[in-house]
Amino acid sequence: MDTLASTTLSALPDLWDRIFGSQPDPDLWVVIATLVAALAVVVPHGVWRISRNTVTIAHEGGHGLVALLTGRTLTGIRLHSDTSGLTVSRGKPYGLGMILTAAAGYTAPPLLGLGGAALLAAGHITLLLWLATAMLLVMLVMIRNAYGVLTVFLTGGTFLLVSWLAGPQVQAAFAYAVVWFLLVGGVRPAFELQAKRSRGGAGDSDADQLSRLTHVPAGLWLFFFHVVSLCSLMGGGRWLLRL
């Protein structure tokens, strides 16, 4: 028993260094290749219909996280096969907490990408993967439909396998691909929402809910989504490309 405890204690510093230590930056060609890969799953419409599920996870996760941080009671998250989602929380249907919760959806993917780019620029590749895995596991507890459970479970399982079993080069390529995807993929949903609203659709979108909550035109909230996503892409891209 003492031997087991001693072995466990001696392994803790190694695990700490593995998670919180820094790793060397990948070659520039790897960074560019992962950018191209991210564009390849965001730009083509057919592929985007599948890969958009991951952006929806970040979108609904943003709603849920901010709801909790502002004191609301998160009751559940649903993810649907058409890449839509729904986050339900209890609390006052007005006020700052509700406004921040509604604003967190479209801004969450690009801001997560920006945060990920900051971690990668600091060399914390493994830490990024472990943080993403932890967030997905926490989110899994709040999922309330089978498709959502499957989607988050597969996504979290992929992160866990890569962070635990893959070598440094594979981890780096995977981490950069994920961050590029969040940065690039975080731009497209706001343009899709703009197109739907121009055709008279999406009357209950996040922008329209925010308009009712704040009496600020929905178009200005849509502009805000564009600013956050494009600025995150430019700032995160500079960090990833070491400019």
Side-chain angles (χ1 to χ4, degrees):
M1 195 69 175
D2 291 339
T3 303
L4 177 60
S6 177
T7 302
T8 303
L9 289 174
S10 64
L12 288 177
D14 293 336
L15 181 61
W16 180 272
D17 290 340
R18 179 179 178 181
I19 297 175
F20 293 96
S22 60
Q23 294 79 39
D25 293 332
D27 294 334
L28 183 59
W29 73 266
V30 174
V31 179
I32 296 174
T34 53
L35 169 59
V36 173
L39 291 170
V41 297
V42 170
V43 176
H45 181 70
V47 182
W48 173 243
R49 290 180 61 186
I50 299 173
S51 63
R52 198 184 192 281
N53 284 283
T54 306
V55 174
T56 302
I57 292 174
H59 180 114
E60 300 302 332
H63 282 312
L65 176 61
V66 174
L68 291 174
L69 292 176
T70 55
R72 299 180 63 81
T73 301
L74 181 62
T75 58
I77 299 173
R78 301 177 70 88
L79 304 173
H80 305 131
S81 58
D82 63 354
T83 72
S84 65
L86 176 66
T87 298
V88 180
S89 63
R90 291 200 307 266
K92 292 190 300 183
Y94 56 87
L96 182 60
M98 188 63 198
I99 293 170
L100 293 176
T101 299
Y106 279 92
T107 57
L111 289 178
L112 285 172
L114 183 63
L119 285 175
L120 294 181
H124 295 301
I125 296 171
T126 303
L127 177 60
L128 168 68
L129 297 176
W130 279 68
L131 285 175
T133 303
M135 288 189 291
L136 287 166
L137 291 176
V138 171
M139 185 176 177
L140 184 62
V141 178
M142 300 306 302
I143 300 296
R144 295 294 182 263
N145 66 320
Y147 181 82
V149 169
L150 177 63
T151 303
V152 176
F153 179 80
L154 291 176
T155 305
T158 302
F159 273 89
L160 182 61
L161 288 174
V162 172
S163 61
W164 191 257
L165 299 178
Q169 293 181 339
V170 175
Q171 284 191 7
F174 179 77
Y176 272 79
V178 168
V179 171
W180 275 124
F181 174 75
L182 288 172
L183 291 171
V184 176
V187 172
R188 184 163 179 173
F191 283 99
E192 292 177 334
L193 176 59
Q194 182 176 355
K196 288 181 181 178
R197 295 190 75 258
S198 68
R199 297 191 296 267
D204 199 36
S205 69
D206 291 355
D208 292 280
Q209 292 181 40
L210 285 163
S211 178
R212 290 191 289 270
L213 287 166
T214 63
H215 306 292
V216 173
L220 288 181
W221 281 108
L222 185 57
F223 176 73
F224 171 71
F225 296 156
H226 283 309
V227 169
V228 172
S229 61
L230 291 171
C231 288
S232 296
L233 175 59
M234 290 186 289
R238 287 178 61 86
W239 280 335
L240 295 179
L241 293 170
R242 306 163 202 166
L243 301 177

